[in-house]
Structures are given as structure tokens and as C-alpha cells.
Amino acid sequence: MNRRNFIKTLGGSLIASSAVLSACKKQQSSSESILTDIRQPEQGTMTYRTHPQSGDQVSLLGYGMMRLPVVGNGSARDNQSAEIDQEMVNRQVDYAIEHGVNYFDTSPRYCQGRSEQATGIALSRHRRNKYFIATKLSNFSWDTWSRSASQQMFRDSLRLLQVDYIDYLLLHGVGMHAQDAQGNELTGWQAFEKRYMENGILDWLVEQQKQGKIRHLGFSYHGDIEVFDRLLQWHDEGKYHWDFVQIELNYLDWNYANEINARNTDAEYLYDELQKRNIMSVIMEPLLGGRLAKVPDFVVAKMKTRRPEDSIARWAFRFAGTPEKVLTVLSGMTYMEHLRENVQTYSPLQPITSEENEFLMEIAKDIYNLKAVPCNECNYCMPCPYGLNIPAIFGNYNKMLNEGYTPQPPDMQASSKEQKEYFARRRKFLISYNRTVARERQADHCIGCNHCVPHCPQRINIPAEMARIDQYVESIKRIGGNNI
Ligand code: SF4
Ligand code: SF4
């Protein structure tokens, strides 16, 4: 599109936005309290972004409630028996609000179905005009596709969150594949039709928005780009209006998402498509599931040379928060220290300069060239019917790769120094693998059944990656045997 057409399109979408705004105001006249409820930020230095239609002042740091703290060990996200530490959730939510964070993002699916309740308990101790709640219609499973089951999911969200309206409601994970009751795999578009169209739920949600029970309607996107494009086409045609869209954005995915996995789309494309329609982006995976906080040692050295005081994670958060049409950047913060650091990063944001942007694009190239598995350990693929611990296998492999412990077996001409180095690294890899993943749950037990593949939002070809890791492990076992 040339510049003239681009400006024309932008102008058109701005006019459309104003029309929607006035329509929206009319719709909400019966809910005056909502309209007068445009949040005033807490005193402090947090950076805020303004929603162009509602005028909401949203903190650039959004609190993702998917990795809540637990009593003792374990992970609330993955394990139903790990007890959520409600007292700590309350304290962290209090700290966040005191420091200007006002966007809290949850889902009926997070923390094994317990996040909304814990979030509701913590937030209901504050005045309703101090926070925005984002939650999702997470009807992934075929037994929640009926109209009544999906409606019940929305009503349960209101009840558990102890509110009578949701500020930001998302269709959850559009574009992802799904399995129907017979076990057939559905494409992203087929799944979208089953989850939101055939049951009339999208129209019902629009109705809820008119009644003031939803203030902004949007979707979170992972997967088939066809679905993202079609939903934006509907927006252009006026069939449905999206107030915001949640996308994965970080400095690696900006230009390499598609290179890493041909089924994924670069964040630059997603963001540009939204910003030219004046649709605000909510950012997920600013750290790519923690991978961008655990970058290889040589990358750490480069970053520390430029900004010695900054953590590695801060670079990624600054990148994600810099584009102007980013409404908020979500971070799932289990520990107070992460919350404190992220609050600091955005109080206020120091935008990435163009020179720093070039530097991060070079860093992205370095990380891409390592060929790590793009797993963010979300656990959606679990359980594997054959007992594999998929996220742990990928997590360990990536960690070893980052730390330089994935040596290639030496050739016949290798010096004794090189051989010694190989054996030391090989030992480190194998010890770590066996400690992290029980032997009967390792990559060699994958039978390639494909059961896990449709569940992966990163669209990883899991059996192929298992085969790659298994081949690697076998190759280093061949040179050195089973001795560690
Ligand atoms: S393809 Fe492999 S990892 Fe995936 S479910 Fe089947 S056995 Fe498990
Ligand atoms: S393989 Fe995919 S679904 Fe499984 S943990 Fe990794 S990113 Fe999540």
C-alpha cells in the first residue's frame, strides 16, 4: 500500500472509530457509572496509555494472573494440588495497585481454573474504579462449545471475579486448532466457527456489550493467520468491531516468528495491521515464556556492555512497551521481586531508541541462529498420553543450548583439549537432562502420535522436535557411552 492509500485508510478507520465511540456512548447511557468510571491513575510515575474510544488510562504494565504464587513448592499453573497463596496474591495485587498498575488479565482456564476466583478475592478489596479486569471466553474444549456452556462460562467469570461487568473481554486463542468430540482435528477457522459462530456466542457477547456487561470486546490470537486476517476484515466491513487485540510481541518474534516456525506470523505484521486500524494491542509473551530473560551468555555480555545496570528482562519489556499503540504489556509475575522490577521498568518507560532497536534486531539474529525450540513451557500440550514431560524436555534443551552445553561429538582430528572440553560439556548436558526429566519421560519415548500438536499455541511440531532432541542425545551417548 502506498503512503497516500495508507493515510486514506488510517483516516477512514479513525472516522469509523469516532462513529463507534459515539454509538458506544449511546449504548452505555444506561450504565452511566461505567462511563464516568474512566480510571484516574494512581500518583506516581507509571506510564499510561489511553484507549482511543473509551478514554481508559491503562497502565503500561498489565498483571497476568496465570502464574500465581503457591504455598510451598509447585506451580499453580500446572498443578491442581499446588495451593494458591491467596495472602501473597492479595499483597502483590495491593503493591501493584499502589504503584499504578490497573490492568489485571485472567481467564477461566488459568491456574487450572482457579485464577479468576483468586483474582476476584484480591481485587474486590479495592474500589471497582481502581482496576480494569480482562478475562476471556476460554471455550477451547468441545464440551464447552454449546451456547449454554459458553454463556455459563461468562456468567461464572462475573461471579468469580465478583463484578457485574468485565472491562476487557477476549475471545481466547482464536486461530488455534481444536479437536472435536470425535477426535478430529479442526483448523483455526473451523475451530473459530464452532466456538463462537455456530452457537451464536459472538452475537450474544455483542449484546452483552450493548447492555454494559462488557466494556471492550476483543480477541487474543495464536495460530492460523487466516483467522486474524478475516477478523480484521470483518472489522473493516463493520460486521464486528474489535476494541483491542492481544498478540504475542517481543524482539525475537518481531521479525523471526515465521523463520522459527513457518506456521507463525511475525509480530511486526500483526502490530502493523492493528495500528493502521487504530486498534490497540495488548501484548503477551514480552519475554517469550522467560526465554528472553535467559539468553545465552554471550548475549548477556553484549547487553551488559551497553546498559550494565539493566537486567536482561528489562530490555525485552522496554521493547514491548515502546510502540505507541500498545495499550499494556502483560507479565505473569509470581514473585514480588519480578513485580517490583517490572513496575520500575515502566515508571516511566524509557522507550527503545532507534539505535537500541538495531542492536536488539542483531541480538534477535544471534538467538535465532541458535535454533532453540520455541517452547515457552505453557503446558497446554500436557498431559502426553505416553508420559513425556514435553515442556521439561524442551526447557532443558534450550537452557543447555543457551549456556553452551550442547557440544557436537568431536571428529578424529580433534585435539585432546577439544576432546576434554567435549566430554565436560556432554557430561553437563546428560546430568541436567536426567535430573530435569525422569528417564521414562524423555524424548526417546515419543511415538509420534500427534496428540499434543493441536494444543500448542506456538505451533511447534512437537514429535519432530522430540526426534531431533533424541537424535542429539543418542549422538553424544555414542561417543562416550552411557558413562556420565
Ligand atoms: S507426539 Fe510424542 S510428545 Fe506428543 S503426545 Fe504423542 S507421544 Fe507425546
Ligand atoms: S510445546 Fe507448545 S504447548 Fe507444549 S509447553 Fe511448549 S509451547 Fe506450550
Side-chain angles (χ1 to χ4, degrees), residues 190-223:
Q190 289 167 334
F192 181 82
E193 289 198 309
K194 289 278 177 216
R195 292 175 60 193
Y196 299 114
M197 302 310 292
E198 289 175 15
N199 55 12
I201 277 297
L202 180 52
D203 289 327
W204 185 77
L205 290 174
V206 170
E207 196 51 41
Q208 300 310 300
Q209 187 174 24
K210 286 181 186 157
Q211 291 175 17
K213 290 210 165 86
I214 296 170
R215 296 184 57 241
H216 306 82
L217 185 60
F219 61 88
S220 65
Y221 163 75
H222 295 278

Side-chain angles (χ1 to χ4, degrees), residues 374-381 390-391 394 455-458 460 462:
C375 172
N376 58 19
E377 300 176 53
C378 69
N379 252 25
Y380 286 167
C381 54
I390 302 169
F394 291 158
H455 302 289
C456 178
Q458 299 300 323
I460 298 169
I462 298 172

Side-chain angles (χ1 to χ4, degrees), residues 33-34 37-39 97 102 104 123-134 158 161-168 212-215:
S33 61
I34 297 175
D37 216 5
I38 293 171
R39 313 314 198 255
I97 290 178
N102 63 8
F104 294 83
L123 287 176
S124 62
R125 297 154 49 256
H126 294 267
R127 289 212 321 270
R128 182 66 179 94
N129 66 358
K130 290 287 178 196
Y131 57 86
F132 300 116
I133 284 185
L158 292 172
L161 288 162
Q162 305 186 37
V163 293
D164 49 17
Y165 62 90
I166 302 292
D167 298 283
Y168 292 81
K213 290 210 165 86
I214 296 170
R215 296 184 57 241

Side-chain angles (χ1 to χ4, degrees), residues 384-386 390 446-452 463:
C384 157
Y386 294 89
I390 302 169
C446 175
I447 64 148
C449 69
N450 279 327
H451 174 84
C452 51

Side-chain angles (χ1 to χ4, degrees), residues 53-74:
Q53 282 91 53
S54 66
D56 280 0
Q57 296 275 298
V58 177
S59 57
L60 190 53
L61 178 61
Y63 205 140
M65 308 298 282
M66 78 288 279
R67 293 190 176 96
L68 298 179
V70 295
V71 177
N73 294 323

Side-chain angles (χ1 to χ4, degrees), residues 96-293:
I97 290 178
E98 277 161 23
H99 291 82
V101 175
N102 63 8
Y103 189 97
F104 294 83
D105 172 81
T106 180
S107 146
R109 183 84 187 254
Y110 293 167
C111 297
Q112 310 277 320
R114 299 170 296 164
S115 169
E116 285 188 326
Q117 184 169 28
T119 304
I121 292 169
L123 287 176
S124 62
R125 297 154 49 256
H126 294 267
R127 289 212 321 270
R128 182 66 179 94
N129 66 358
K130 290 287 178 196
Y131 57 86
F132 300 116
I133 284 185
T135 193
K136 313 187 178 77
L137 196 68
S138 309
N139 57 350
F140 292 111
S141 166
W142 62 266
D143 56 1
T144 56
W145 290 347
S146 71
R147 186 177 172 86
S148 59
S150 293
Q151 287 172 330
Q152 191 57 46
M153 189 175 281
F154 177 72
R155 290 184 185 120
D156 286 345
S157 293
L158 292 172
R159 177 176 56 80
L160 292 167
L161 288 162
Q162 305 186 37
V163 293
D164 49 17
Y165 62 90
I166 302 292
D167 298 283
Y168 292 81
L169 195 278
L170 300 94
L171 313 183
H172 195 176
V174 311
M176 283 173 71
H177 289 205
Q179 278 180 342
D180 67 13
Q182 289 73 42
N184 302 312
E185 185 174 341
L186 306 185
T187 65
W189 185 253
Q190 289 167 334
F192 181 82
E193 289 198 309
K194 289 278 177 216
R195 292 175 60 193
Y196 299 114
M197 302 310 292
E198 289 175 15
N199 55 12
I201 277 297
L202 180 52
D203 289 327
W204 185 77
L205 290 174
V206 170
E207 196 51 41
Q208 300 310 300
Q209 187 174 24
K210 286 181 186 157
Q211 291 175 17
K213 290 210 165 86
I214 296 170
R215 296 184 57 241
H216 306 82
L217 185 60
F219 61 88
S220 65
Y221 163 75
H222 295 278
D224 290 354
I225 192 61
E226 176 200 8
V227 185
F228 180 86
D229 288 339
R230 279 219 219 175
L231 296 196
L232 292 193
Q233 192 187 331
W234 284 356
H235 180 92
D236 296 342
E237 292 164 354
K239 188 171 174 184
Y240 292 99
H241 175 83
W242 308 114
D243 299 308
F244 68 112
V245 174
Q246 189 167 309
I247 55 171
E248 182 167 318
L249 184 153
N250 53 65
Y251 64 80
L252 185 58
D253 282 327
W254 188 254
N255 281 329
Y256 286 99
N258 186 254
E259 293 271 0
I260 291 168
N261 185 336
R263 298 189 297 173
N264 286 342
T265 305
D266 290 348
E268 184 177 24
Y269 173 83
L270 302 176
Y271 176 78
D272 281 354
E273 288 301 308
L274 296 173
Q275 69 102 27
K276 70 190 185 194
R277 293 171 170 86
N278 203 27
I279 299 175
M280 296 301 277
S281 296
V282 169
I283 303 307
M284 57 183 158
E285 302 292 359
L287 283 180
L288 199 45
R291 282 180 58 208
L292 299 184

